[in-house]
Amino acid sequence: MNISLFKLLVPKNNIPAKSKPVKDLSEIDVVAQAMIFFLAGFDSVSTLMCFTTYELAANPDIQDRLRQEVMTTLDECGGKITYEGLLKMKYLDMVVSEVLRKWPSTLATDRLCLKPYTINPALPDEQPLHLEEGSILMIPIYGMHHDQEYFPNPDRFDPDRFNDENKDNIKPYTYFPFGLGPRNCIGSRFALLENKVLMFYILMYFEIVPVERSRIPVQLSKTSINLTAEGGFWFGLKRLKR
């Protein structure tokens, strides 16, 4: 991957000067924050839920294995799921982690360069990349998650990438669906919990099946800024016999 793709220069005079904290919020501030809440809290979680549903419908063997874990956990919790029981579900965590690798809710993230830095070339035909103070680095999450060097056969949905044996082999800073460091997503744990609870109850009562309008493999929309399916996600719920 050419490291020049990471750089987007912003003039230094665009960096906001240090000033005293603003105590009062204007209407624009309130509206802007509300919009961020909707985009970051609703759209990203719905994307994760939709692609989880898609992968379970497209991979019935994985869905069956996950349902077995759901039923086992339900028995261990006395017929009612608990927070502790949900956290112990290793395969559910593996499935959700792989969905976030293959279909990250955010295609890229950015960071501000606070001091000059030079990235030395990794390939013979590359030039050093000089980052100036005030540069904004665009980091392609989707590109990193689909890099053959870090995730072999990246288009294959394989939750076992995140099992106890393999997850420690994932190179640091190559998997970051919620960002990294002190500026990572503040709502990541809540988003994961929402998705896991929903999947738990769906698989407890239903089998997720393709229907006439389902598209497998999925066709990505070319008009959305984030990942979504062309024409939407369409799947059926088949009631389980219990």
Side-chain angles (χ1 to χ4, degrees):
M1 183 180 297
N2 194 318
I3 56 177
S4 63
L5 294 178
F6 287 90
K7 187 179 181 185
L8 176 62
L9 287 179
V10 175
K12 294 182 180 179
N13 55 13
N14 282 354
I15 304 175
K18 293 183 179 180
S19 59
K20 295 182 179 180
V22 178
K23 296 182 179 180
D24 298 326
L25 289 176
S26 66
E27 287 189 8
I28 294 179
D29 294 328
V30 174
V31 171
Q33 291 300 316
M35 185 178 70
I36 289 296
F37 291 157
F38 275 100
L39 291 178
F42 288 87
D43 186 72
S44 59
V45 173
S46 65
T47 298
L48 172 57
M49 291 178 176
C50 288
F51 277 109
T52 302
T53 303
Y54 160 74
E55 290 294 352
L56 293 178
N59 300 278
D61 55 329
I62 293 176
Q63 182 179 167
D64 290 341
R65 181 179 170 184
L66 181 55
R67 183 176 293 105
Q68 291 177 4
E69 185 183 53
V70 167
M71 296 308 181
T72 299
T73 303
L74 196 63
D75 291 339
E76 293 175 349
C77 293
K80 186 176 181 180
I81 185 60
T82 64
Y83 176 74
E84 292 75 15
L86 198 66
L87 293 185
K88 292 179 181 179
M89 297 181 64
K90 289 187 176 182
Y91 195 65
L92 176 59
D93 188 69
M94 290 161 53
V95 168
V96 174
S97 295
E98 176 67 349
V99 173
L100 287 168
R101 180 204 64 82
K102 189 177 178 183
W103 310 108
S105 300
T106 303
L107 295 176
T109 187
D110 59 350
R111 291 294 184 269
L112 178 67
C113 183
L114 299 181
K115 62 181 180 180
Y117 188 83
T118 298
I119 300 177
N120 294 320
L123 301 175
D125 59 342
E126 288 185 333
Q127 299 295 323
L129 180 61
H130 303 290
L131 303 177
E132 301 175 5
E133 180 182 354
S135 299
I136 292 182
L137 307 181
M138 299 301 297
I139 307 173
I141 298 175
Y142 185 90
M144 294 291 286
H145 286 188
H146 285 75
D147 193 316
Q148 180 76 26
E149 179 181 353
Y150 307 126
F151 299 98
N153 197 3
D155 292 330
R156 178 188 175 194
F157 185 74
D158 182 13
D160 283 322
R161 299 179 199 270
F162 294 90
N163 63 24
D164 291 338
E165 180 181 355
N166 295 326
K167 65 181 180 181
D168 291 336
N169 296 326
I170 298 176
K171 294 183 178 179
Y173 308 109
T174 62
Y175 177 75
F176 47 102
F178 294 104
L180 292 168
R183 298 294 183 268
N184 66 351
C185 177
I186 193 173
S188 60
R189 292 179 178 83
F190 183 69
L192 290 173
L193 189 63
E194 280 185 292
N195 188 72
K196 290 180 179 181
V197 169
L198 177 67
M199 289 301 116
F200 184 94
Y201 280 104
I202 287 179
L203 295 179
M204 186 169 66
Y205 294 107
F206 300 98
E207 177 185 359
I208 304 172
V209 296
V211 295
E212 184 178 354
R213 297 183 65 177
S214 302
R215 292 187 178 184
I216 300 176
V218 66
Q219 298 179 22
L220 296 178
S221 172
K222 298 179 181 179
T223 60
S224 175
I225 190 172
N226 288 326
L227 293 181
T228 189
E230 185 71 35
F233 293 88
W234 297 90
F235 296 98
L237 296 177
K238 182 179 179 181
R239 184 83 182 191
L240 295 173
K241 296 180 180 180
R242 302 182 62 186

